[in-house]
Each structure stands twice: as structure tokens, then as C-alpha cells.
Amino acid sequence: MMFRTVKADMLKKLVSMVAGVLTMVSIAGCSMTTEREALVTPEDVIKSPADDRDYRYITLDNGLKVLLISDPDTDKSAAAVDVNVGSYQDPDHRLGLAHFLEHMLFMGTEKYPDVDSYSEFIRANGGSSNAYTADVRTNYYFDINSDQLQPALDRLAQFFIAPKLDPNYVEREKNAVDSEYRLHAREDGWRLFMALNSTSNPDHPKSRFNIGSLDTLHDQDGQLWQSLKDFHDKYYVASNMGVVVYGKEPLERLEQWVNTSFSAVPSGAKPDLTIGKQPYTQDELKARINIVPLKDTRVLSLSFPVPSAQPFYHIKPLGYLARIIGYEGKGSLHSLLKERGLIDSLAAYSSDLPNEYSEFTVRMELTPEGLTQVDEITAIVFDYLDLIRREGLQPWLYEESKQIAELAFRYQEDRNPQQTASGLAARMHYLPPEHLLEANYLYDSYDPELISGYLARMTPENLRQVVIAQNLSTDKVEPYFETKYSIQALSDELVKRLKTPIARQLLTIPEPNPFITGNLELHESDQASEPSVILEEPGLRVWSLTDTSFNMPRGNVRVMITTPAASATPDDNVLIQIYKSLLSRSLNEYGYPAREAGLNYSITAGRRGLLISLAGYQDKQSVLLEDILKAIETFKPEKSAFEQEKAVLVRGLKNKKFHAPYRLGMDALNQATYPSYPEDEVLLSAAEKVTYEQLIKYAHAFYKRIHVEMLVYGNHSKQEALTLSSMVESVLLNDHNRRDRFDLPFHLLGDTNRVLNMDIEHDDSMLISYYQIPETDNRERARYALLGRLLANPFFNSLRTEQQLGYVVFAGPRPFEKHPGVIFVVQSPKLDPIGIEGRVEQFLNDQKAVLSGLTDQELEQYRQGLIGDLLKKDDNMDERNGRFWQGIASDELDFENRLKIADEIRKLKPADMQSALARLMENKGKLVIRSFGEPHKKAYRKETDRTECNTIDCLKDLPVSE
């Protein structure tokens, strides 16, 4: 019995609600099976009225479940295979085996034996591919230019039919898995996750290490290869897999391809995946867990294990509770705790191990004061749970959730093909075919008894109180990441308090949401295919395009306020971030219901100024924009709020040093190329000194010299766009503050060849080699974009797969402000950056010979792949709006310049690639950013042939753009 204290009526409710579910389920340790799914017709896959794609769910003769999606208009195709096995099925003596097998399947198959040939084919044809291993699933996916789906699909199918599992690469790829593990050694996400899992039931696979390392994947018994083969043979069978194929071809053609490629997947018996053990015993419940992070992080999580909610996906009892507890509007738990200065954020959510158990969590980021009042915050949460028991089970509130979800499903926008395929494949083990698309939007019936049953599990006896902060008392160390932690029983005093809740007048159940849309009428689209300027005057330019071609009653509004005051000094860089945070904070109680109803907004700050963004149902966007502008007019935050947001910024800057070296290196590249981007230490110093009085003064001075650029796109008429711009103009602009648009200056590398040393505390070394081309014409942009594509996969194959330098290895084109560029990145636990740079240069030398033999036919697939990416149709409104806005924000106002670049790509020949590489190797316009890992410090030697820098200030003499 998984949950010993589940009441009899709750158990009956759980079992009775499962009767119509077509998947295998396990409730409270008991499993129930149903007959295998029959073939269903396309109509049985329920889709959104806005969805014009065709679907078909089939089961092959070998038992493989397949969802076919036909989209004649797509220019990207995709596929995904989800295998119902993950790290929880690792043998005890081979921890990480599921993840290791995922790596090995990319190392060639009997039919396509070349290592990395699958990834090379995908990339050459304009696509991308990847995989991930989860607890009980492993997901493989790709996208590709739509005319190459069939050969890509056949290559993927061979992963599951006849992988090579070459013993030579078994030994090599172990190093890649180990490097991945060590990459995460200083990442708190992984460190905290593994420490928390260590406080699980020791007999449950949740408690084990799951990445894999050289130690856990040892081959001392000579059986590692056989373990891989046995694992593949046992779990990688058709009955244990789900496949999604997304293409432009008719369903009949897609079905034919799937049958041809996947019918040879071994049928086999579906393995028993039942765990049937409690995730936590009594020793791990009613417990306080302390975990010490590397970063300055303060978190309180209150978690409750409950019976699996998977059988009730169509009712969502935990979703109902999460909506109330996670609410941020007036009278919410979030508002009370934030107003008292105890938390920075709050979220409520559930996770699920299907048919085993669910876990409901309330997670709060704490202020320093909140950390001293962990038990008081816990008590307030329990006070709110009591309020929900007394007043929170309301039919109207469930119906409101249903109304919001139905609108979201009715006007569901397409995701890109790869996301669609991967996401749907992950659901196929647990959902009936007809609900694959709408499961997340179903609120079939209000069931207060079911909700109460879950709420009844949220008790002190079933609580795991997790506190994450520095300097906590601990007595244990997690062995793989060396994270300090402890687990002990909750104090009797706290348990007594939690059992005697207090009624609080400031806490209420959410009020009816006033932002739920009522106007769903569509305007007629403009004849134009791109936005045009409808108003231009000093200090203001307004772009507009009415576009309802996606049949969505949605709009997007962008308001960009630019001024040199955003980043003229380090203080300005800091003040604008705090100003933005305080503005957003002042709107949160009012604006949270808007987000909940599908009317999203954000205020972001950058080195050019502020950006106000609205997206979603357009009918109430004017109301929301008016209130954002009112918040700007009446801005006067409490000093306590300023101190809280300042502390958040300071902590974030301090914690950056724990990012992976290559991420810090990429950030340094941005700092080096933008003069207005100070180093982190400079920003931190400014942030620590900034005062409330400075902030108030800055908020008023910010608007003294500004320019406003607007884009109104989607289901807004031209007149509505003018009305919105008039609102903005009346609040932000006057006769004295209008100026030209402020665009950031940036550094150019010219013909320099420099190296920037970074001092990063990490065992891995890091090297970034970045090349920048001075010309900005379309031919050069095309030439280096194609060269970057050509070099990317061979670089990965050489330095990672063959040389095993590390897990993080990538290369490709990196254009910068219209300037072409190419970048090479390696983070290595094995080699110092001087050695890495030598390997990069050797790779480029080797590629000279490769490119000298490149045929036009071989180049053609890369040409077509890149052209396909450039000319890809927009999948949804947000994507199209983003493309337009990128052009406006970057001042590249020829929105179809990509067509001209595509024309230049068509003209490129192998000789152009050879000359482009030769120019790259002249090492002019080159910047190397590097850090020496702790074991590699002694490898450092002073540069003699090029300028060496130890701070970004050393690069300030680079030429600056006009």
C-alpha cells in the first residue's frame, strides 16, 4: 500500500474515477490494466477549432503507438520518439545507464554506421536534434526542412532497431557523460535536486544518483556493453514507445513512411514499470530538511506527497488548488507575505510520477527577514489552507478556470513542429488518444469531494518543510555533489501551531476575474504583409499591421522608451533595473488576474531603456496599457520595497559567479562588444551603494530626454493603434523631452587579435574563439552564415566525440549587429585553454583539406538547409510579431532582407567556403576569451604575439560604431 493513511472513501473515489481511462494506472499501490488501444479514427483526436492540421492515431502491428500530424503549410517537419523508461529503471550497480544509452544511440547504427551522421544529416538540412532522459521517460526528437522528413525519420528509427553500440565509443562516451556530470558540479539546480532526493525513501529510485559518471559506469566486471544491450533489448520495444511524426505530406503518406521505417522495431513484451514503493517513509515526512547552496539563495518549499492525480487529468483537482494558493492578486497569500517583507516570490504547483504518486508544492523565495521566520511563514500557509477548506471550494471558481481553459484551447496557437512532436510523444504513455491535444485544457466537472480528498492530505504529518539557504545547520553530505544537508522531525511546537490555524482578515479567496475576454470579433487583415509607419513625429514613431490571418482575436503591443540615461553610467545600469522591478511590483496585484485570463504583459529594462510589452486577447489591452501608464505617472514606491528589490538585484549579481564558465564567457563577450555593459564587479559595487533617494530622482529624470517607438500588431485596427499611441504620447511625451531614438554604440574588432583572461572558480577550463567580419553586405552575411553551418557538426564530432574534450562543445555562425561572425566554444575538464586553442586551430587546418574536396552537390544540402531556416514561415502570431519587432528594434527596417540573403546563399560555391575559411584563419578580427580551470592554472604562460587582457577595460580602445 503506497499511502497507508488514505481514507476509504478517497480510495473509492480514486479507483472509480479511473474506469474510463485507457492507460495503465496504479492507485495506492494497486495496478489496473485495460485492453490495448484499438485503432481510432482521425476524428477521435480532439483538436482546437483553430487548428487546421489533420491528425491520425494508429497502432502498428508491433504495438508501436503513433500520432501522425499533417500540416501542408509547414516548411519544417519534425518527429519524436518517447520511450517509457528512464533513470528510475537504472540497475543499482549501473547508475546513469539510461542516460548513457541515450548518448550511445547517437553513435551510429547498423544501417547508418558513421558516428554523428544522424546529427550531421539533420543539421545540414536546416534542422536540429537532441534528446533527454527523465525519471521514467527518454525523449528523442528532431526538426528538419520539410522535404527531408522521410530520410531523417528512417535514420531516427534505426536508433530503436539496430544501434551499433560500438564498444570503442562505449569507452569514449562514458567520458562525455562524466563531463556532463562534472559540468553540473557547481550548479545549484542539480546540487539541490540531488540533495533533496537523498532525503527520499532509500528503497525508492528517486533517492539515487541519475546522471552517471566514470565511477558508476565502470566496467570492472567487463559487462558494461552487455548491460547497455540488455537495457535496450528490455525497454526499447515497440509496446513501450510512442512516436509523433509531423510533416507536410498527407496522413496516408506519413503512415506509409512510419510503417516502412518503424515496423522493424522489436515488438517484445511491455516491461513492468511499476515501482510500487512509497517515495517517502514516515522517517522522511513531518520533517524539516535543511540544504546549503553555493549561491546566496533563500527558499522555503512546503511539499505534500499525495496519490497520483494522473487519472484525474480531466478534472484537475491539484490544478484547482494551485490556482488559489498561487494567486497573486488582492487578498492573496503572495500579497500578504510580500507586504510583510517575508518573500520575494511564491509559486504553487504539482508534479506527478504517473500512476505512482503526485507531489504538491508551495515554493517561496525568502527575504533575509523571511529566513528568520520560516515557521511563521509555514503557519500562514496552513492558515490559508484552512481558509480554502472553509470557503475555497466554490463551483464558480472552477467554472471560471474552465472558461479560461476553454478559451485558451479554442484559440490555441501552434507551437513549432519540434516542440509539438516532442511534447505530444511524452504524453502518449499516459493519455487516451482522443485527449492527447486537449488534456491540459480539460476541466470536465467540479468535484468538491475529490478536491477535499487532496486537500485533506495537506497536513503536518504529511509535510516536508524544505529550507535552502547558506549557513544552515546540517549533519549530512550528498556524495556526488558534496551538498550539505540535514533532515529532522518538525518541532512539536510547530506541529501544534499548524494544527490550530488562525483566521486572517487580510487573506481571501480570489475574486471573479474581470479580465476574461468578451470580445472575440476579428478585424479584416491589412493587404500588406509587414508593418508600416502610421505616425511619425519628434520623439515618436508608431508602426501598425492588422493581421488576423491566424484567426486569433489577439494583439501584440510593444512600447520601447529609449534614452541615454538607461546606461550612461554603471549607476544608471543598476537604477533602471530596480526602477523596472518596482514598476512591475506596483502593478502585480492588479495585473495578475490579467495574466491569468490570457492578457500578458511585461516591463523589461535594458541598456537602451524600457520596453513595455502586451500580448494576448486584444479587447482589454487598452485598459491594461492605461493602468501601466498610470503606474508610471504615480510612481512612488515604499522605501522597504526599494530595499527588497535592491537586495534581489545584488544577490543576482553575486550569484553570477556560479554560472558555468562558458556562460560567463559568453556574457563577457557581450560586455566586451558593448561599451555600456559594465563588468559584473562594477555593477555590483554600484548596486550595493545605490540609495532610495537616487532611485526616486532617477525615475523622474529618466523621461527628460526620450524617444518612443511602438508596434501595434494583430487584431488591432489602424485607428485602435493610433488611440493606443495617443495614450502613450499624452503620458510620456511633452514639448520638452522629445529626442531622436537612442541606439547603443558597439565595439568592432577590426583587424585586432586579442585574448581576454577570466578568473573563474571552476575545475573546467573554457575557451571561446570569436571571429568578426567588418563587411555588412548581404553576400558576406550569407557566406559566413553558411561557413558556420558547415563547420558546426565536424567541430562537435572532432573535439567532443573523437577527442572527448568535454560535454560543452559547439560552433557556428554568430552574427553581431549585421556583422558576420563565427564562434567556437569548448569547456573542458581535461585540457587547459592553451591546449584547447591549439585543437581548435588544428581543426581549422584540417578543414582546409576537407573544404578543398567539397563538391557543389555536397554544399547544396547546406545551402538548402540554411535557406529553409531563413525563409521559414511563422508558426504563430508571437513568432511573427517577434520577427517584426527584431527588425524595428535593430533598425533593420527591410523586413524581407532575409529573401535577399537567401538569394546570395544560392550563389555560393565551394570556392567561397574555402576563401571564407582562409580569411578566418588570418586571425584578424579575432577575440579569444578563456579561463584556466583549477587543475590547469600552471599551464598559463604570457602571450607574446598578441595583446593579452585581464579586464574588459583593456578592450575599451577598440573602434566604436557610429
Side-chain angles (χ1 to χ4, degrees):
M1 192 83 173
M2 182 185 294
F3 297 101
R4 298 172 182 168
T5 58
V6 177
K7 296 178 180 177
D9 58 344
M10 182 63 182
L11 183 57
K12 290 177 183 176
K13 171 69 72 175
L14 285 167
V15 175
S16 66
M17 293 305 298
V18 177
V21 180
L22 297 180
T23 52
M24 179 184 292
V25 299
S26 169
I27 301 298
C30 304
S31 65
M32 300 174 59
T33 59
T34 62
E35 294 181 4
R36 177 176 144 196
E37 299 97 326
L39 296 182
V40 297
T41 63
E43 288 72 28
D44 284 324
V45 180
I46 300 168
K47 66 178 186 176
S48 165
D51 190 346
D52 57 2
R53 297 170 293 195
D54 292 325
Y55 297 84
R56 177 176 296 171
Y57 182 94
I58 61 173
T59 304
L60 302 189
D61 290 341
N62 57 4
L64 187 71
K65 300 180 289 291
V66 182
L67 179 67
L68 307 171
I69 307 173
S70 174
D71 179 0
D73 296 325
T74 190
D75 42 23
K76 286 283 186 185
S77 292
V81 177
D82 196 276
V83 189
N84 198 180
V85 63
S87 60
Y88 281 9
Q89 282 72 43
D90 285 342
D92 287 334
H93 67 296
R94 293 267 192 259
L95 297 182
L97 188 68
H99 180 214
F100 184 34
L101 177 60
E102 172 221 306
H103 276 241
M104 285 302 303
L105 294 191
F106 286 82
M107 298 291 105
T109 63
E110 297 298 336
K111 186 173 181 180
Y112 303 102
D114 291 345
V115 172
D116 285 338
S117 63
Y118 165 78
S119 302
E120 175 73 13
F121 180 83
I122 298 289
R123 193 190 296 265
N125 287 285
S128 61
S129 62
N130 214 329
Y132 64 85
T133 303
D135 45 16
V136 292
R137 294 187 303 99
T138 307
N139 191 284
Y140 302 83
Y141 54 90
F142 71 79
D143 68 358
I144 197 162
N145 287 347
S146 56
D147 57 349
Q148 294 295 325
L149 173 60
Q150 188 277 327
L153 194 63
D154 196 62
R155 284 166 166 78
L156 178 61
Q158 291 301 312
F159 281 28
F160 315 102
I161 297 169
K164 283 186 70 178
L165 301 180
D166 186 334
N168 292 321
Y169 285 97
V170 167
E171 286 305 307
R172 292 191 194 186
E173 201 60 23
K174 270 199 311 185
N175 290 305
V177 172
D178 189 74
S179 293
E180 185 175 352
Y181 154 52
R182 297 186 187 283
L183 169 70
H184 301 312
R186 291 178 58 80
E187 293 179 4
D188 269 341
W190 274 101
R191 298 178 75 258
L192 303 176
F193 173 73
M194 288 306 305
L196 190 58
N197 283 355
S198 293
T199 66
S200 307
N201 177 358
D203 293 329
H204 195 283
K206 180 181 177 69
S207 67
R208 304 182 311 183
F209 177 62
N210 58 9
I211 301 175
S213 69
L214 290 177
D215 291 333
T216 67
L217 296 172
H218 66 80
D219 197 19
Q220 294 171 3
D221 56 2
Q223 295 297 308
L224 179 57
W225 183 90
Q226 192 61 50
S227 294
L228 275 173
K229 182 73 166 59
D230 291 346
F231 195 88
H232 189 277
D233 290 348
K234 179 178 180 179
Y235 294 107
Y236 279 59
V237 293
S239 58
N240 201 40
M241 294 163 56
V243 178
V244 177
V245 179
Y246 186 120
K248 67 179 181 180
E249 293 76 13
L251 292 170
E252 289 73 17
R253 177 70 58 81
L254 296 176
E255 183 173 346
Q256 178 187 0
W257 288 352
V258 168
N259 265 300
T260 299
S261 292
F262 283 90
S263 59
V265 174
S267 51
K270 183 172 176 62
D272 181 9
L273 300 166
T274 304
I275 296 170
K277 297 175 183 176
Q278 303 177 59
Y280 312 107
T281 69
Q282 294 303 314
D283 293 337
E284 294 94 35
L285 295 173
K286 197 178 176 181
R288 157 91 179 236
I289 298 161
N290 286 348
I291 307 178
V292 178
L294 293 175
K295 293 181 179 179
D296 181 12
T297 302
R298 297 178 297 271
V299 170
L300 169 63
S301 285
L302 307 177
S303 294
F304 306 90
V306 295
S308 174
Q310 171 61 28
F312 311 115
Y313 68 88
H314 54 307
I315 299 175
K316 297 185 175 53
L318 293 180
Y320 176 88
L321 293 172
R323 182 189 171 195
I324 298 175
I325 296 168
Y327 189 71
E328 296 182 16
K330 188 176 180 180
S332 65
L333 183 62
H334 173 275
S335 288
L336 173 63
L337 293 172
K338 190 148 190 174
E339 185 64 28
R340 288 182 54 174
L342 299 177
I343 67 168
D344 291 320
S345 68
L346 181 148
Y349 54 89
S350 62
S351 57
D352 191 75
L353 183 62
N355 312 316
E356 295 281 351
Y357 71 95
S358 295
E359 195 159 356
F360 187 87
T361 300
V362 183
R363 182 184 187 277
M364 293 154 283
E365 293 186 351
L366 304 176
T367 62
E369 176 64 20
L371 184 60
T372 70
Q373 299 191 44
V374 164
D375 286 353
E376 171 66 7
I377 295 170
T378 303
I380 293 172
V381 172
F382 270 72
D383 293 343
Y384 197 60
L385 291 176
D386 183 65
L387 176 65
I388 296 172
R389 291 185 182 99
R390 291 184 283 109
E391 302 178 16
L393 303 188
Q394 302 282 351
W396 71 264
L397 194 52
Y398 189 90
E399 287 302 313
E400 190 175 83
S401 294
K402 180 177 182 177
Q403 183 183 2
I404 292 171
E406 285 179 344
L407 276 170
F409 185 64
R410 168 66 181 86
Y411 294 104
Q412 181 185 23
E413 291 205 280
D414 294 347
R415 293 192 301 167
N416 70 53
Q418 186 182 91
Q419 291 174 328
T420 299
S422 178
L424 289 174
R427 302 181 188 182
M428 294 181 72
H429 313 295
Y430 315 118
L431 292 171
E434 61 267 29
H435 289 160
L436 281 171
L437 302 180
E438 66 166 351
N440 289 346
Y441 304 91
L442 285 174
Y443 283 81
D444 270 359
S445 59
Y446 174 59
D447 191 334
E449 182 184 358
L450 181 62
I451 297 169
S452 294
Y454 278 104
L455 198 52
R457 297 285 302 174
M458 298 178 190
T459 64
E461 289 75 19
N462 199 41
L463 170 65
R464 286 165 56 82
Q465 183 194 49
V466 181
V467 184
I468 300 169
Q470 294 182 334
N471 302 315
L472 294 177
S473 173
T474 61
D475 58 5
K476 294 179 173 61
V477 178
E478 192 280 320
Y480 291 94
F481 290 93
E482 299 181 350
T483 309
K484 296 179 180 179
Y485 72 98
S486 65
I487 178 168
Q488 61 188 41
L490 295 177
S491 69
D492 293 340
E493 181 184 7
L494 176 60
V495 171
K496 182 179 178 181
R497 168 65 179 86
L498 299 183
K499 289 184 174 181
T500 53
I502 297 171
R504 297 176 180 271
Q505 289 186 339
L506 292 176
L507 290 177
T508 62
I509 300 302
E511 295 290 323
N513 192 318
F515 283 100
I516 297 176
T517 187
N519 177 14
L520 300 171
E521 293 184 11
L522 296 176
H523 292 294
E524 184 176 344
S525 286
D526 289 343
Q527 295 297 312
S529 61
E530 58 188 49
S532 59
V533 175
I534 59 170
L535 177 65
E536 185 158 21
E537 56 187 48
L540 176 66
R541 181 164 61 173
V542 183
W543 300 77
S544 172
L545 176 66
T546 305
D547 180 5
T548 52
S549 60
F550 291 99
N551 293 314
M552 295 288 167
R554 293 196 173 106
N556 294 73
V557 180
R558 302 278 181 106
V559 181
M560 181 172 68
I561 308 164
T562 61
T563 168
S567 55
T569 68
D571 284 356
D572 290 340
N573 275 279
V574 165
L575 286 163
I576 193 172
Q577 294 296 333
I578 299 175
Y579 175 49
K580 174 267 298 182
S581 297
L582 288 166
L583 259 183
S584 299
R585 179 177 176 141
S586 71
L587 287 160
N588 195 59
E589 275 196 3
Y590 168 81
Y592 187 84
R595 287 199 183 103
E596 196 177 56
L599 179 51
N600 296 304
Y601 73 94
S602 66
I603 303 172
T604 54
R607 294 180 300 281
R608 298 169 68 183
L610 287 178
L611 176 64
I612 301 169
S613 303
L614 286 75
Y617 302 112
Q618 97 295 341
D619 67 324
K620 296 182 180 178
Q621 283 184 338
S622 61
V623 177
L624 185 56
L625 180 59
E626 184 177 14
D627 281 286
I628 292 172
L629 293 168
K630 191 179 299 181
I632 291 174
E633 276 190 302
T634 60
F635 179 76
K636 191 167 184 186
E638 297 290 333
K639 188 171 184 179
S640 59
F642 163 79
E643 295 294 347
Q644 201 170 338
E645 298 303 329
K646 171 184 170 179
V648 170
L649 178 63
V650 168
R651 190 167 74 249
L653 288 167
K654 286 182 176 178
N655 287 339
K656 273 189 69 176
K657 67 182 180 182
F658 294 107
H659 292 183
Y662 80 97
R663 294 189 186 279
L664 292 171
M666 294 297 285
D667 204 30
L669 181 57
N670 281 328
Q671 291 169 331
T673 45
Y674 287 107
S676 57
Y677 193 164
E679 291 181 86
D680 295 335
E681 294 80 5
V682 175
L683 285 175
L684 178 59
S685 176
E688 289 175 329
K689 295 175 185 174
V690 73
T691 66
Y692 174 72
E693 290 72 25
Q694 279 180 284
L695 184 279
I696 297 299
K697 183 178 179 181
Y698 179 82
H700 290 99
F702 180 84
Y703 298 95
K704 284 187 176 179
R705 295 178 64 224
I706 62 171
H707 181 276
V708 176
E709 188 106 31
M710 286 185 66
L711 169 63
V712 183
Y713 165 78
N715 193 33
H716 285 290
S717 67
K718 178 179 177 182
Q719 184 54 52
E720 288 170 347
L722 289 169
T723 300
L724 292 171
S725 67
S726 178
M727 290 167 51
V728 170
E729 184 173 18
S730 66
V731 172
L732 299 183
L733 293 168
N734 56 51
D735 292 340
H736 309 291
N737 69 343
R738 300 170 188 257
R739 61 152 286 147
D740 292 339
R741 188 172 109 158
F742 171 62
D743 286 311
L744 283 173
F746 53 88
H747 282 139
L748 297 172
L749 296 187
D751 62 358
T752 190
N753 179 8
R754 300 193 186 187
V755 60
L756 172 65
N757 294 318
M758 298 185 69
D759 186 13
I760 298 174
E761 186 182 340
H762 201 283
D763 284 349
D764 289 2
S765 288
M766 172 271 295
L767 179 105
I768 296 173
S769 282
Y770 168 60
Y771 298 83
Q772 186 188 92
I773 308 303
E775 293 85 359
T776 59
D777 60 278
N778 285 336
R779 174 174 170 76
E780 290 302 279
R781 294 170 75 175
R783 194 159 74 118
Y784 284 93
L786 189 56
L787 178 67
R789 283 290 189 95
L790 271 172
L791 297 178
N793 215 65
F795 184 74
F796 178 90
N797 185 40
S798 175
L799 275 73
R800 181 182 148 173
T801 305
E802 298 296 340
Q803 300 180 46
Q804 288 292 314
L805 293 190
Y807 180 72
V808 177
V809 175
F810 61 90
R814 189 186 189 271
F816 171 75
E817 300 281 357
K818 301 183 187 180
H819 289 265
V822 181
I823 195 165
F824 302 90
V825 180
V826 179
Q827 180 176 318
S828 175
K830 293 185 172 184
L831 193 59
D832 64 82
I834 296 173
I836 296 172
E837 188 172 5
R839 301 287 181 94
V840 173
E841 290 174 353
Q842 183 59 54
F843 166 79
L844 294 175
N845 268 312
D846 293 343
Q847 288 301 301
K848 285 172 63 177
V850 173
L851 293 186
S852 69
L854 181 70
T855 67
D856 194 65
Q857 185 178 4
E858 290 168 335
L859 185 61
E860 176 62 13
Q861 66 174 338
Y862 286 92
R863 281 194 295 251
Q864 292 306 315
L866 181 54
I867 290 169
D869 267 4
L870 276 172
L871 304 186
K872 188 183 84 67
K873 297 184 181 73
D874 304 307
D875 289 317
N876 50 55
M877 287 184 67
D878 284 343
E879 194 171 296
R880 183 170 296 171
N881 178 73
R883 180 166 59 83
F884 290 146
W885 182 251
Q886 184 179 13
I888 292 169
S890 66
D891 215 26
E892 183 162 334
L893 303 180
D894 182 353
F895 298 106
E896 296 304 330
N897 192 57
R898 56 186 184 150
L899 299 177
K900 298 173 184 175
I901 295 176
D903 285 340
E904 293 296 337
I905 293 169
R906 292 186 181 96
K907 302 173 188 174
L908 293 172
K909 300 296 182 185
D912 296 306
M913 298 298 95
Q914 295 158 17
S915 60
L917 178 61
R919 181 174 181 182
L920 215 63
M921 294 178 67
E922 292 174 2
N923 289 335
K924 293 179 179 177
K926 178 183 178 183
L927 176 62
V928 168
I929 298 174
R930 68 189 187 186
S931 67
F932 289 77
E934 295 299 327
H936 305 144
K937 298 285 190 185
K938 293 180 180 178
Y940 170 78
R941 58 180 181 271
K942 188 173 178 61
E943 295 286 331
T944 56
D945 297 330
R946 57 184 173 180
T947 303
E948 182 175 5
C949 299
N950 293 310
T951 69
I952 289 173
D953 281 344
C954 172
L955 301 168
K956 297 299 184 186
D957 65 327
L958 290 172
V960 178
S961 65
E962 296 181 3

